Amino acid sequence: MMSIAWKEQLGQEIFFFDGAMGTMIQAADIAVPAVPEELNIDHPQVIQGIHEAFIRAGANFITTNTFGANRLKLEKSRYPLQRIINAAVDVAHAAVSKAGGDVHVVYNIGPIGAMMKPIGSLDFDTAYEIFKEQVICLDPMRIDAVLIETMTDISEMRAAILAVKENSTLPIFATMSFTEDERTLTGTDPETMVRILEGLQVDVLGVNCSLGPVEMMEIVNRIIAVSKTPVIVQANAGLPVCIDGETQFSLNAGKYAMAVTSFMEAGVALVGGCCGTTPEYIQKLVEKQDRYQPIKEKRQSGNFLCSSTMSLDLDDGFVLIGERINPSGNKRLKEAFKQGDFQFATKVAFEQIHHGAQVLDINTSLPQIDEEEVMIQLVDSFSGLLDTPLQFDSVKASVLEAALRRYAGIAIVNSINGKQSSMDELFPLIKKYGAYAVCLCLDEKGIPHTAEERIAIAEKLIKNAKKHGIPEERLLIDALVLTASAQQEEVMETLKTIRILKERYAVKTTLGVSNVSYGLPYRPLINQVFFTLALGAGLDTAIINPGAEGIVDTIQAFQVLNNQDPGAVEYIAYNERKKKPDSQGKPAELKNQDNSLVARLLQGDEQEVEEIIREYLEQKAALAVVDKVLIPALDTIGLQYERQEIFLPQLIRAAETVKGAFELVKEKLAKDHGSLEPKGTVALATVKGDIHDIGKNLVKIMLESYGYRVVDLGKDVGGDAILTAIRNQQIQLVGLSALMTTTVVGMEEIIQAIREEFNDVKIMVGGAVLTEEYAKQIGADFYCRDARASVLVADQVLQ
């Protein structure tokens, strides 16, 4: 390892990364292989020359030519992973030796190239192993840091970070790519990304690729506003354009440097370049280094729980934690867990959310089942489906770690107690995964009788947490509720404990409220009164059934009286909603949310969807069910996606779920001697030289859910294969995808070939390096910014 002095200077002075390896390779006078990493072995002088050029331009960090060096992308390579990595590191060091200067070699890790569950089939453990295979190839004495870049899925980013942290001591730079709607492909916003990455304690975080510096300005501002970690930005050289048949970018070096200077003035500590940036761009940035302004003002504060798509600030008023995903006392859930059926738990989750739960507690403790496996299945089932953060509830550390490891957010652990063994076992997990912890005021002697004794245990928990580097703000102290029927005199000790905790410490407080009424008649009344008293004492969160009588009413009223609902806006709106009951006495809005086909599709509830469709098929003609029920439901979901009310995982989940409904329609038509004809045929392909097919696969799922037949030609597809498909399968619409700038030219050549032979065939294109303007320049009929847009194009062309 080279000098690590730069780590101490992060945030104090500006550092410069290199620019686009792909752009430079494309400009070199060599044939570019499908696996560019093979150039480390076949043409090392070319890669070395690129590194040297960036070093001479002023780069402090150069990244190895290993963006796609993983087992999936190297599947057809002539060389093994270890050899490619060794060669990449050798070439980088040869460049440093020749060009000179205090330059650091950073190992580059890009996305795997396959989507993780629930969008794709890649599970967390497999993703982790793929990243680990790269990390264990590294010689830590020859690498200064690892850059994990161009990630669009926070789950994949977490797998990569954990693989690096658990198999090396190398510093981690972590950057994600955002679209123009200021979210990643799977819906993570900039603030949530920062909190999740800081929870895993990366050394540098930021944004790269997809957009130019002008287009990512607001994204960078949002990151800077909340990040306590040094920020890196590596933008594209503007948006891609086609000039004289070549892919170029809209900003020259001077304009690029001018735009990036604003980042430096705002406190971005490391800048470099992505697609389209050459040594000239880096040199222009270096010339602006005196414009750097270290961040001095305090970042926005808060204590945030996160799902993959949203953040919840525990400092922003009372938080209701739903307790219903717990097999104890729930026979139906118990049976579902035993049978490996997780759909009922999903239904319970949505019911609690509709009743006002802001966090969901998950408990899978049940004899006769594998608690850890069930917990993993639930975390995977909820991944990308629920915006609501989760709380993991178990007495087993192995179960808690399995959940924390896979959860693409920041969760609460329920619970740690004052026993030394509990603290020693669980606080390290809290620290490692950046979680929060419910801390019970009990120890080896049991639950104390007095508030003072419980405070003493709370202090012990706080002190031990700090030894592990966990601030007290991450602790939710549970003063413990004893039942009034048996220990009536101790009920008020619980409330006294809460008041003392809030006076002395920065901790949060929590309670399992309903314990207080056990053994007494009319439990809802006891629960509601105790809950009100606890709120008055300073209770921050409660673990409770959000649908229980009076709970949400109490919260709404308390927030008005406690000046947490200015103008009583939420209180008034809540009561307006309650005035519209349906015939069963249930609020109309809640009923619609619970039972509509749209809701069931979004929940991935295949069984309920099929029951709904069977009822429709008894009342309507099969084709009418398609045209009047299924397609409108999918359209509604599509509009929710466009309005960012849902995100890609939910969109894909709905598209997958609807397939069962279409099978029922086909069965009904077959019985009536009819058939469901495809609405049209679409051929899809990732163009020659490009082995990335995530976007193409998403388009396929969406088109098939709408009843189109898709001829999937795969990835790395040349023009001849596409022309043959059009000729033999009566293709009317072709969809072409490209992720790499090096392959966009090939896309234009394919379009020209199609035009020469098939004037009536329409062509839609998409991919990270394309824009609507660029699509027109290369002769495409349509540009699709996402998978949903491809359905609108197909509807226009084929109906």
Side-chain angles (χ1 to χ4, degrees):
M1 182 180 289
M2 301 174 69
S3 166
I4 59 171
W6 57 270
K7 284 192 69 176
E8 299 171 358
Q9 295 303 315
L10 279 176
Q12 306 302 314
E13 61 180 90
I14 186 77
F15 287 100
F16 298 94
F17 255 69
D18 54 10
M21 175 63 74
T23 298
M24 296 296 288
I25 289 175
Q26 190 177 8
D29 187 23
I30 55 171
V32 181
V35 181
E37 289 76 14
E38 290 180 347
L39 296 173
N40 298 328
I41 299 168
D42 294 336
H43 295 280
Q45 73 284 357
V46 173
I47 304 302
Q48 181 177 333
I50 293 170
H51 286 317
E52 289 175 18
F54 280 121
I55 293 171
R56 293 191 180 99
N60 308 111
F61 295 85
I62 58 171
T63 48
T64 56
N65 179 36
T66 50
F67 179 83
N70 66 66
R71 80 160 94 128
L72 294 187
K73 292 184 176 178
L74 298 184
E75 198 172 20
K76 296 182 180 179
S77 175
R78 294 174 291 135
Y79 304 113
L81 176 65
Q82 181 73 67
R83 187 175 175 192
I84 282 181
I85 290 176
N86 287 346
V89 176
D90 287 344
V91 168
H93 277 285
V96 172
S97 297
K98 186 171 181 180
D102 186 16
V103 178
H104 311 290
V105 175
V106 178
Y107 181 76
N108 187 1
I109 292 180
I112 290 172
M115 292 300 292
M116 293 185 68
K117 292 180 176 179
I119 298 175
S121 59
L122 189 66
D123 61 41
F124 178 90
D125 290 335
T126 304
Y128 173 89
E129 288 300 321
I130 290 172
F131 290 122
K132 177 183 174 181
E133 289 164 2
Q134 298 176 63
V135 178
I136 61 178
C137 287
L138 300 177
D139 178 351
M141 299 306 292
R142 305 190 75 210
I143 296 293
D144 291 283
V146 173
L147 171 67
I148 307 168
E149 62 148 310
T150 323
M151 292 289 174
T152 58
D153 184 342
I154 193 72
S155 294
E156 187 176 0
M157 173 61 91
R158 290 186 78 261
I161 290 171
L162 289 173
V164 177
K165 292 183 79 74
E166 293 177 355
N167 296 283
S168 81
T169 57
L170 292 166
I172 299 175
F173 298 2
T175 63
M176 299 194 73
S177 293
F178 291 77
T179 59
E180 288 178 299
D181 62 9
E182 298 178 11
R183 286 185 180 266
T184 67
L185 179 67
T186 51
T188 304
D189 60 73
E191 293 84 359
T192 299
M193 176 201 74
V194 170
R195 289 159 189 148
I196 293 173
L197 297 186
E198 288 188 335
L200 293 175
Q201 300 132 57
V202 300
D203 299 273
V204 175
L205 59 82
V207 56
N208 80 293
C209 202
S210 291
L211 302 170
V214 176
E215 292 78 18
M216 67 168 57
M217 190 77 71
E218 186 56 28
I219 297 168
V220 174
N221 289 337
R222 291 174 62 179
I223 291 172
I224 292 172
V226 298
S227 179
K228 303 177 185 68
T229 304
V231 174
I232 179 173
V233 176
Q234 289 183 284
N236 288 348
L239 299 176
V241 294
C242 181
I243 299 176
D244 298 331
E246 293 185 1
T247 302
Q248 298 184 19
F249 287 83
S250 58
L251 296 183
N252 62 30
K255 290 180 179 178
Y256 181 83
M258 189 179 301
V260 174
T261 298
S262 65
F263 300 153
M264 296 158 62
E265 292 172 337
V268 171
L270 303 97
V271 293
C274 204
C275 299
T277 57
T278 65
E280 182 186 4
Y281 286 69
I282 304 305
Q283 184 175 348
K284 290 291 184 185
L285 289 180
V286 175
E287 291 171 2
K288 302 284 187 182
Q289 60 182 308
D290 59 343
R291 304 284 290 274
Y292 173 63
Q293 295 292 324
I295 294 175
K296 295 178 181 176
E297 69 273 25
K298 191 176 180 181
R299 304 290 87 186
Q300 291 179 14
S301 61
N303 286 290
F304 292 91
L305 304 175
C306 297
S307 68
S308 64
T309 53
M310 68 159 284
S311 301
L312 174 68
D313 191 354
L314 290 172
D315 293 343
D316 191 21
F318 180 81
V319 172
L320 181 59
I321 303 174
E323 65 173 5
R324 298 291 292 161
I325 304 178
N326 187 330
S328 176
N330 188 328
K331 291 183 180 178
R332 188 170 175 186
L333 191 61
K334 195 179 294 183
E335 287 306 309
F337 280 177
K338 287 180 180 176
Q339 296 170 12
D341 173 13
F342 306 110
Q343 190 57 56
F344 183 67
T346 303
K347 183 179 180 181
V348 174
F350 277 101
E351 285 175 352
Q352 293 186 95
I353 293 168
H354 293 157
H355 278 109
Q358 297 158 284
V359 177
L360 297 178
D361 184 274
I362 302 178
N363 184 308
T364 58
S365 302
L366 185 66
Q368 305 166 328
I369 68 169
D370 184 336
E371 182 184 348
E372 183 175 324
E373 180 59 26
V374 173
M375 180 65 84
I376 290 171
Q377 292 293 333
L378 277 180
V379 172
D380 285 349
S381 296
F382 291 169
S383 178
L385 186 64
L386 303 179
D387 292 335
T388 308
L390 302 180
Q391 171 171 289
F392 301 120
D393 185 355
S394 177
V395 297
K396 298 179 181 176
S398 61
V399 175
L400 294 170
E401 175 153 29
L404 290 170
R405 189 170 182 79
R406 286 160 181 81
Y407 183 53
I410 298 177
I412 305 173
V413 164
N414 185 14
S415 57
I416 300 175
N417 60 53
K419 297 177 182 175
Q420 194 61 49
S421 59
S422 176
M423 294 186 289
D424 291 346
E425 188 171 42
L426 295 178
F427 275 136
L429 296 183
I430 302 299
K431 176 64 176 177
K432 177 179 179 180
Y433 295 103
Y436 288 73
V438 171
C439 295
L440 307 181
C441 289
L442 65 85
D443 59 13
E444 291 83 355
K445 299 176 183 175
I447 302 175
H449 297 292
T450 68
E452 287 72 17
E453 291 172 307
R454 297 182 198 185
I455 291 295
I457 295 175
E459 289 175 340
K460 184 167 62 173
L461 285 157
I462 294 169
K463 185 177 179 182
N464 272 269
K466 288 183 176 177
K467 286 181 180 176
H468 291 275
I470 304 167
E472 60 188 73
E473 291 87 349
R474 286 193 172 249
L475 307 184
L476 287 71
I477 305 293
D478 186 342
L480 294 173
V481 181
L482 299 178
T483 174
S485 62
Q487 293 163 285
Q488 190 172 354
E489 70 279 5
E490 294 180 18
V491 171
M492 287 300 151
E493 292 298 306
T494 299
L495 301 180
K496 183 180 177 183
T497 305
I498 293 174
R499 280 192 289 271
I500 294 173
L501 286 170
K502 297 304 293 182
E503 288 170 3
R504 296 182 183 174
Y505 303 102
V507 298
K508 302 298 177 187
T509 57
T510 191
L511 284 178
V513 174
S514 56
N515 292 343
V516 73
S517 63
Y518 187 76
L520 291 171
Y522 197 13
R523 292 186 64 188
L525 178 60
I526 298 289
N527 292 341
Q528 188 173 354
V529 171
F530 180 71
F531 184 41
T532 304
L533 291 171
L535 288 170
L539 185 66
D540 296 299
T541 75
I543 307 168
I544 198 168
N545 177 6
E549 182 179 333
I551 294 301
V552 177
D553 288 350
T554 301
I555 295 170
Q556 293 288 339
F558 179 80
Q559 288 179 337
V560 173
L561 299 177
N562 203 39
N563 196 29
Q564 293 175 287
D565 181 9
V569 174
E570 289 298 325
Y571 179 79
I572 293 169
Y574 170 72
N575 281 281
E576 286 297 316
R577 292 195 295 272
K578 288 183 64 179
K579 289 179 182 176
K580 302 173 182 175
D582 62 21
S583 58
Q584 285 80 43
K586 200 175 204 180
E589 180 181 325
L590 180 57
K591 178 178 174 62
N592 289 336
Q593 287 174 333
D594 282 344
N595 297 330
S596 76
L597 177 60
V598 168
R600 294 305 186 203
L601 287 170
L602 287 173
Q603 294 170 16
D605 192 340
E606 296 177 4
Q607 185 176 351
E608 290 284 344
V609 166
E610 292 180 11
E611 286 183 14
I612 292 171
I613 296 305
R614 283 194 182 92
E615 290 180 11
Y616 275 115
L617 288 171
E618 291 177 359
Q619 305 164 12
K620 297 175 181 288
L623 292 178
V625 173
V626 173
D627 294 336
K628 305 295 185 184
V629 179
L630 287 172
I631 296 302
L634 289 175
D635 286 343
T636 298
I637 291 169
L639 288 174
Q640 290 182 11
Y641 174 71
E642 291 174 4
R643 293 195 295 258
Q644 293 194 29
E645 296 169 0
I646 63 170
F647 302 101
L648 188 61
Q650 291 116 315
L651 182 72
I652 297 302
R653 178 80 64 108
E656 294 284 9
T657 304
V658 83
K659 289 179 178 177
F662 273 104
E663 289 303 315
L664 290 177
V665 171
K666 290 178 183 177
E667 289 175 12
K668 180 67 163 47
L669 283 167
K671 286 181 181 176
D672 297 340
H673 305 291
S675 62
L676 183 62
E677 297 297 328
K679 294 162 67 174
T681 302
V682 184
L684 298 179
T686 302
V687 299
K688 187 72 176 176
D690 204 324
I691 58 173
H692 304 87
D693 61 356
I694 291 173
K696 185 259 301 172
N697 292 341
L698 295 177
V699 170
K700 179 184 178 185
I701 292 171
M702 290 303 299
L703 288 173
E704 288 180 337
S705 74
Y706 268 80
Y708 291 99
R709 185 173 78 94
V710 174
V711 177
D712 186 355
L713 299 172
K715 54 191 177 184
D716 193 19
V717 181
D720 291 344
I722 295 172
L723 293 173
T724 301
I726 296 171
R727 198 176 300 124
N728 296 339
Q729 303 201 50
Q730 293 77 52
I731 304 295
Q732 301 150 294
L733 176 63
V734 173
L736 301 176
S737 172
L739 180 69
M740 302 162 59
T741 55
T742 53
T743 56
V744 175
V745 174
M747 179 182 281
E748 183 180 15
E749 293 172 354
I750 291 173
I751 292 173
Q752 290 174 353
I754 294 174
R755 292 276 182 253
E756 291 175 3
E757 190 170 346
F758 304 99
N759 279 331
D760 56 341
V761 171
K762 300 298 183 184
I763 303 167
M764 59 181 176
V765 298
V769 295
L770 289 168
T771 63
E772 185 162 10
E773 182 181 358
Y774 196 107
K776 290 179 181 176
Q777 291 174 337
I778 62 175
D781 297 295
F782 303 97
Y783 164 69
C784 297
R785 65 186 297 271
D786 54 34
R788 159 75 178 158
S790 69
V791 174
L792 301 179
V793 170
D795 287 347
Q796 180 180 338
V797 173
L798 301 176
Q799 290 192 6

